[in-house]
Amino acid sequence: MNKFKDYNSKPQLNSFTGDKINVDRILNTEIEVLQFKVEESKKKLGTKFLTLQIEKSGIKHVVFTGSTVLINMIQQVPEDKFPFKTTIVKESGHLEFT
C-alpha cells in the first residue's frame, strides 16, 4: 500500500495575506501594490481574474477583480518595479491604475 508521504507532495501555500476587501473600498485612495497573480476564473469560464496583494495605511489586504483593464495594465509592469504606489480610479465605467 502506498503512503501519501512517499509522493513528496508539498502544500501550495497562498503567499497573499490580509483581509479580503472589495475594490470599491480602495477606489481613489493611494495604495501600495506588493504583488499580483492572474488566473483563470472559476466563476466565469473563459475569463481571467486578478488577485492583488496591497498595503493600505500600513495594513495588508487582498483584492480580487475581473477588470481586464487592470489585468492588462499590471502585466506591463516589470517584476523589478514592484512594489509600487498607485491609485485605482473608475474612468468611463472601467477601473484603471493612475
Side-chain angles (χ1 to χ4, degrees), residues 16-17 21 26 31-35 52-56 59-63 88:
F16 293 83
T17 59
I21 61 171
I26 60 170
I31 58 169
E32 186 172 356
V33 177
L34 306 174
Q35 58 182 323
L52 292 173
Q53 171 74 76
I54 67 157
E55 191 169 301
K56 177 184 169 194
I59 301 170
K60 288 184 179 179
H61 299 283
V62 180
V63 178
I88 298 175

Side-chain angles (χ1 to χ4, degrees), residues 8-68:
N8 291 324
S9 179
K10 303 289 181 205
Q12 293 182 344
L13 301 177
N14 184 351
S15 60
F16 293 83
T17 59
D19 292 335
K20 173 187 167 189
I21 61 171
N22 191 298
V23 71
D24 291 338
R25 287 190 47 204
I26 60 170
L27 286 179
N28 305 312
T29 305
E30 187 175 73
I31 58 169
E32 186 172 356
V33 177
L34 306 174
Q35 58 182 323
F36 77 99
K37 66 180 172 181
V38 177
E39 298 176 288
E40 293 294 323
S41 176
K42 295 172 184 123
K43 293 182 180 180
K44 280 188 175 179
L45 294 178
T47 64
K48 297 181 185 270
F49 74 96
L50 171 65
T51 305
L52 292 173
Q53 171 74 76
I54 67 157
E55 191 169 301
K56 177 184 169 194
S57 304
I59 301 170
K60 288 184 179 179
H61 299 283
V62 180
V63 178
F64 300 98
T65 179
S67 169
T68 56

Side-chain angles (χ1 to χ4, degrees), residues 60-78:
K60 288 184 179 179
H61 299 283
V62 180
V63 178
F64 300 98
T65 179
S67 169
T68 56
V69 174
L70 289 182
I71 291 170
N72 290 334
M73 290 178 81
I74 202 161
Q75 287 178 325
Q76 296 176 40
V77 178

